[in-house]
Amino acid sequence: MNQKRKIRVLVAKPGLDGHERGAHVVAYGLRDAGFEVIYTGLRQTTEQIVNAAIQEDVDVIGLSILSGAHVSLTRKVLDELKNQKAEDIMVIVGGIVPSEDIRDLKEMGVREVFTAGTPISAISDFIESAIPAD
Amino acid sequence: MKNSWDKLIQGIREKDIRAMARLITRVENREDGWKTAMTEIYPLTGKARVFGITGSPGAGKSTLTCEIARELADRGHTVGIIAVDPSSPFSGGALLGDRLRMQQIFTIKEIYIRSMATRGMLGGLCQAARDVIRIMDAFGKDVILIETVGVGQDEIEIVKTADRVMVVCIPGMGDGIQAIKAGVMEIADLYVINKADKPGADEVEADIQAMLSLSSDLECVAPPVLQTSALKKQGILELVSALLENPADTKKQKVKEEIRIKEEILSLMEREVFRQVRSVWENEGSLLDSVSQVMQKTSDPYTIVKQMLLNHKHR
Ligand SMILES: Nc1nc2c(ncn2[C@@H]2O[C@H](COP(=O)(O)OP(=O)(O)OP(=O)(O)O)[C@@H](O)[C@H]2O)c(=O)[nH]1
Ligand SMILES: [Mg+2]
């Protein structure tokens, strides 16, 4: 009965921008790639995101940010994860991110950044290779 | 192993949310040792009251669950929520979207929400749901709400694991209660007409009352029918009070509990027997042999099963 372990992903949109399309596309795409995706909707506070991630025991948090405030929003999420001793949960970021910010985000601890237009398969392949199969 | 079972069980005794979340994952994944873990958890359970919430897609179950949980927390209860959504039969993935309607309670510390996919576990889902309920119970949640969409047999089976089931209907579907699949109405201990801010709620209520007067035998108390608007937060206080009210018919409750325990034992047994038989067949390679016999038309599936069972008995 060695059922393959399901990878769980939280797709969250922090910040105030109201563009949900990208997050939707990613959520559905990851479902179709076989992940269990928990979608929590727009305008999430840092605390809401981190609490949801912990309660759902996700392997990955995917932040979809189109507001331009990706660095500060992401930093807040990473800080709150540390605060709640959950920094082992992998964080990835998707959105419109200039390359110099990508470097900053990775230095902060973001595992990967996917700029707008990245095919979903690139995201799902990355998650699968980054999460130990147990 | 990083998070041994013992450590996780100790964690839930200490009210560590991450330990509970991890424990649920591992039990849900049926990792080796899950049954022993559940055996240890079992004595810690039995205090929680479990309410099932079901009804047609989009009836407002999640919005209502959110409001009920908030009211319960206000009254000093600690609440666990299990929100079940279907897995895709094609990819095995799932989009679990019930949380979308529960955002405002993510940060209430008395409330723990867990989304759960059906994972195509024919029948196994019920057991997994029972296990998750027990883990929350052991953690100390005193009310557990389980939301499932009332479409398939599996979903109906899950809410049956609850002490009380509330069926959510909505106005404006033309044929009111017809919209809900047969088999769902029968399990209701309580009817809720949500979206009562829209026209037609009274008609639905009349339909339900009419149905109840036709079907209920005079001996049992008819289930209450309530109107709510989860969106406008109306009727929630009354609903929560009705849920918490002690069931009028304790004898009926006892019968229900007996049935539940029996079903659980049988379903655990069924899976265990199947698993054991199958692993023997697979290890000995006789399953593959049998398949080729059927393909070569030297035997048929009925005979094969009969022979295999006989062999198993004589081992
Ligand atoms: N007018 C009105 N709309 C409501 C009410 N409750 C929920 N809704 C809306 O109905 C829609 C569906 O609500 P959900 O809570 O997601 O319904 P659900 O039954 O959980 O849906 P599924 O889980 O997808 O089956 C949302 O747009 C809600 O805002 C209500 O009392 N009145
Ligand atoms: Mg729902």
Side-chain angles (χ1 to χ4, degrees):
Chain A
M1 277 227 297
N2 279 323
Q3 193 175 358
K4 209 181 136 217
R5 169 175 172 278
K6 281 278 169 220
I7 296 176
R8 288 165 69 89
V9 185
L10 182 82
V11 174
K13 274 196 66 66
L16 295 177
D17 78 277
H19 305 286
E20 209 168 10
R21 230 184 74 87
H24 271 170
V25 171
V26 171
Y28 280 101
L30 292 179
R31 175 198 65 183
D32 293 341
F35 298 100
E36 285 182 359
V37 181
I38 293 119
Y39 185 62
T40 56
L42 287 174
R43 300 194 180 90
Q44 296 284 289
T45 65
T46 308
E47 219 190 336
Q48 283 175 320
I49 293 171
V50 171
N51 282 8
I54 288 174
Q55 293 177 8
E56 299 286 359
D57 192 30
V58 295
D59 304 284
V60 185
I61 300 175
L63 298 174
S64 163
I65 311 176
L66 292 166
S67 66
H70 33 260
V71 175
S72 67
L73 287 170
T74 305
R75 189 188 310 277
K76 281 191 193 154
V77 172
L78 293 169
D79 286 348
E80 182 64 20
L81 280 169
K82 272 203 201 81
N83 201 14
Q84 299 210 33
K85 296 197 181 58
E87 60 266 46
D88 54 303
I89 302 176
M90 181 172 109
V91 176
I92 58 179
V93 172
I96 303 166
V97 187
S99 49
E100 65 266 29
D101 289 351
I102 296 184
R103 206 189 43 233
D104 288 354
L105 287 170
K106 285 193 170 174
E107 266 168 22
M108 276 157 52
V110 170
R111 288 287 290 278
E112 194 52 272
V113 178
F114 300 94
T115 53
T118 308
I120 302 290
S121 59
I123 305 177
S124 60
D125 288 350
F126 174 80
I127 295 175
E128 256 161 22
S129 64
I131 302 291
D134 270 357
Chain B
M1 211 180 286
K2 195 174 75 191
N3 286 295
S4 74
W5 290 109
D6 287 346
K7 220 171 119 199
L8 292 177
I9 294 170
Q10 187 53 33
I12 61 169
R13 289 173 187 271
E14 289 160 9
K15 304 231 180 288
D16 172 358
I17 293 181
R18 282 212 91 187
M20 166 160 62
R22 188 61 49 84
L23 198 54
I24 290 175
T25 305
R26 296 188 57 187
V27 168
E28 200 188 359
N29 286 342
R30 298 312 194 209
E31 286 181 27
D32 288 343
W34 75 271
K35 273 174 274 182
T36 315
M38 287 311 301
T39 312
E40 275 172 50
I41 289 165
Y42 193 85
L44 310 174
T45 67
K47 292 178 285 290
R49 283 193 273 183
V50 185
F51 302 128
I53 298 162
T54 193
S56 39
K61 299 178 295 295
S62 302
T63 319
L64 202 55
T65 302
C66 173
E67 295 307 325
I68 294 171
R70 196 207 310 262
E71 175 60 24
L72 285 165
D74 280 350
R75 294 190 193 186
H77 292 283
T78 56
V79 186
I81 298 175
I82 304 172
V84 182
D85 268 326
S87 297
S88 154
F90 304 107
S91 70
L95 187 58
L96 307 167
D98 293 316
R99 263 185 183 267
L100 195 55
R101 310 277 171 216
M102 304 183 188
Q103 286 183 6
Q104 294 140 330
I105 57 171
F106 285 10
T107 50
I108 299 180
K109 71 173 192 316
E110 290 80 14
I111 301 176
Y112 174 87
I113 311 173
R114 182 71 177 214
S115 310
M116 195 172 166
T118 55
R119 297 195 180 176
M121 294 185 281
L122 288 164
L125 178 59
C126 289
Q127 190 57 43
R130 276 191 282 258
D131 298 333
V132 176
I133 289 170
R134 286 198 180 116
I135 294 170
M136 291 183 177
D137 185 354
F139 181 90
K141 296 296 174 193
D142 63 41
V143 181
I144 294 163
L145 307 170
I146 175 161
E147 173 193 340
T148 70
V149 54
V151 288
Q153 195 56 42
D154 264 15
E155 285 88 348
I156 295 172
E157 292 299 320
I158 311 175
V159 287
K160 278 197 198 160
T161 64
D163 301 319
R164 301 185 91 187
V165 176
M166 108 194 187
V167 171
V168 184
C169 312
I170 44 171
M173 304 268 295
D175 51 355
I177 51 175
Q178 293 291 310
I180 295 190
K181 227 179 118 105
V184 175
M185 294 308 264
E186 288 82 343
I187 56 172
D189 298 295
L190 205 127
Y191 292 90
V192 178
I193 300 147
N194 189 40
K195 306 200 186 183
D197 50 288
K198 292 187 170 182
D202 291 338
E203 284 86 332
V204 181
E205 177 162 353
D207 283 354
I208 294 173
Q209 297 288 13
M211 181 198 71
L212 290 175
S213 67
L214 283 178
S215 63
S216 68
D217 54 272
L218 293 166
E219 278 188 23
C220 12
V221 191
V225 184
L226 295 155
Q227 295 192 14
T228 60
S229 169
L231 203 64
K232 302 217 158 106
K233 309 192 196 325
Q234 282 160 0
I236 308 298
L237 299 181
E238 294 80 357
L239 173 57
V240 169
S241 299
L243 273 176
L244 292 176
E245 215 162 78
N246 283 325
D249 196 341
T250 48
K251 203 175 141 207
K252 194 175 148 199
Q253 287 297 118
K254 204 174 153 228
V255 172
K256 246 171 105 173
E257 196 184 349
E258 279 171 13
I259 294 175
R260 256 177 10 211
I261 295 172
K262 195 170 94 188
E263 278 180 359
E264 177 168 9
I265 293 173
L266 288 176
S267 90
L268 277 171
M269 179 62 81
E270 187 179 316
R271 314 206 102 218
E272 194 56 25
V273 169
F274 178 74
R275 198 182 62 83
Q276 286 186 13
V277 171
R278 185 179 175 144
S279 78
V280 170
W281 288 351
E282 274 178 353
N283 289 343
E284 292 176 354
S286 53
L287 188 57
L288 274 181
D289 292 346
S290 305
V291 172
S292 63
Q293 281 173 36
V294 176
M295 288 181 79
Q296 288 157 13
K297 303 203 189 313
T298 56
S299 186
D300 63 82
Y302 312 99
T303 312
I304 300 266
V305 168
K306 201 170 152 195
Q307 277 170 357
M308 280 179 164
L309 279 177
L310 272 175
N311 292 346
H312 204 78
K313 234 184 186 158
H314 295 142
R315 293 175 65 84

